[in-house]
Amino acid sequence: MVKTVSNKSNVQCQSEYGILKQVVLCEPEYMEIKEVINDVQKKYEDDNIDQELAVKQHRNFEQALRNAGVEIIKLPPSKDHPEQVFTRDIGFTIGNHLFVSEMANPIRQGEEEVLAQWLNNNKIAYKNLSLHSIEGGDVIVDGNRVFVGISDRTCKKAIQNLQKELPDYEIIPIPFNPKYLHLDCVFNILSSEDALIFPEAFEPKIVNLLSSMYHLIEVSETEQFSMGTNVLSIGQNRVLSLPINRDVNYQMKQHGYEVLEVDFSEIIKSGGSFRCCSMPILRQ
Ligand SMILES: CN(C)C(=N)NCCC[C@H](N)C(=O)O
């Protein structure tokens, strides 16, 4: 079922690299690896998350965004949702359409309602994609093209359904090795010309397809694990990235990007970085 709420539309995201104006975040106050639901968490299950440090790092991230003129919307954190910091996955904006996801994993189900509640309170129109599982980390927009990862979190039927919802867009399903969780862990678009990729996650024909569209900057296995691919573009060739991902940062600088380094080492232990922790609703 696709449920439409209100007709007013004040959202717009035509790409992953337009100037970021408004973004939805959620502080990691209750962040915890309660259940291991991805490969990265396996390594950190015993250490778990230092919530105080995670909040501190998240505030620095928030400040970096504010310094760049981005308006921050904060969802209320809840003890019931230990993964809520990863706001990217619970909804996504394509053009002037805002979609609320259908979370695949029981431990994350219910996060959608917190977002929907905020959208209702603020009279922002959205569509609820509640029929088949789809998460925003698998959805990457570039103009009229939308790349959607086929993963353990996003199924083919959901992708077909999205194409029906957006007949004027070309929805391109992208299969990849699901052990890497979401498409934005292994592929991310920096501009109309450049994209980051961890090629080992894809069949050669998919790498060829993507390289026919973008100049691909390769991310190493080590930096893929520390979320080197999961940078957040805030527009005008500025990109938020972790200082530990030195090689990818160097390569982006060589390609003319301004790299804004923020330490996010505690948060990435749960399998997501800057892109995962931000849900843009307005880009210029
Ligand atoms: C780049 N990625 C992976 C995201 N878009 N989201 C991260 C979600 C991490 C969370 N522990 C989970 O497994 O759902």
Side-chain angles (χ1 to χ4, degrees), residues 38 41 83 89 108 153 181-182 184-185 230 270-271 276:
N38 66 52
Q41 287 179 329
E83 304 273 4
D89 300 326
R108 296 206 59 183
R153 305 292 182 89
L181 185 56
H182 286 124
D184 66 359
C185 291
N230 201 248
S270 214
C276 304

Side-chain angles (χ1 to χ4, degrees), residues 242-260:
L242 282 110
I244 47 170
N245 292 325
R246 292 174 60 174
D247 182 54
V248 79
N249 292 350
Y250 174 77
Q251 292 200 66
M252 287 192 292
K253 284 179 200 160
Q254 289 294 101
H255 284 81
Y257 295 92
E258 184 185 344
V259 178
L260 308 171

Side-chain angles (χ1 to χ4, degrees), residues 79-247:
K79 270 193 182 137
D80 298 332
H81 305 306
E83 304 273 4
Q84 220 184 350
V85 68
F86 302 110
T87 52
R88 171 72 58 165
D89 300 326
I90 54 177
F92 49 91
T93 308
I94 302 177
N96 59 5
H97 308 268
L98 198 155
F99 295 97
V100 173
S101 307
E102 177 62 19
M103 304 306 285
N105 206 295
I107 198 157
R108 296 206 59 183
Q109 285 162 0
E111 290 179 34
E112 308 97 313
E113 273 96 80
V114 181
L115 173 63
Q117 185 64 57
W118 183 83
L119 294 167
N120 288 335
N121 292 347
N122 289 277
K123 301 197 171 11
I124 296 177
Y126 65 91
K127 285 189 175 176
N128 224 326
L129 297 172
S130 54
L131 252 194
H132 308 287
S133 71
I134 182 163
E135 298 188 354
D138 280 319
V139 180
I140 299 185
V141 186
D142 194 3
N144 272 23
R145 273 184 200 146
V146 184
F147 301 90
V148 187
I150 306 171
S151 69
D152 285 348
R153 305 292 182 89
T154 298
C155 66
K156 286 183 184 161
K157 283 191 174 157
I159 301 176
Q160 287 160 4
N161 186 37
L162 188 63
Q163 180 67 83
K164 281 192 201 135
E165 286 297 319
L166 299 171
D168 297 336
Y169 285 78
E170 183 191 4
I171 308 290
I172 308 175
I174 302 287
F176 67 98
N177 183 338
K179 91 172 197 165
Y180 296 107
L181 185 56
H182 286 124
L183 182 61
D184 66 359
C185 291
V186 286
F187 176 66
N188 197 351
I189 297 174
L190 299 175
S191 70
S192 59
E193 270 130 53
D194 301 320
L196 298 176
I197 192 163
F198 174 63
E200 286 93 318
F202 302 94
E203 295 282 341
K205 68 171 187 213
I206 298 296
V207 178
N208 290 342
L209 171 76
L210 298 172
S211 74
S212 71
M213 299 173 182
Y214 301 96
H215 166 72
L216 299 178
I217 301 173
E218 289 192 18
V219 178
S220 68
E221 193 178 356
T222 314
E223 293 197 355
Q224 188 286 323
F225 192 78
S226 52
M227 297 287 140
T229 326
N230 201 248
V231 299
L232 175 69
S233 296
I234 58 170
Q236 295 172 316
N237 284 355
R238 293 165 302 164
V239 178
L240 264 81
S241 184
L242 282 110
I244 47 170
N245 292 325
R246 292 174 60 174
D247 182 54

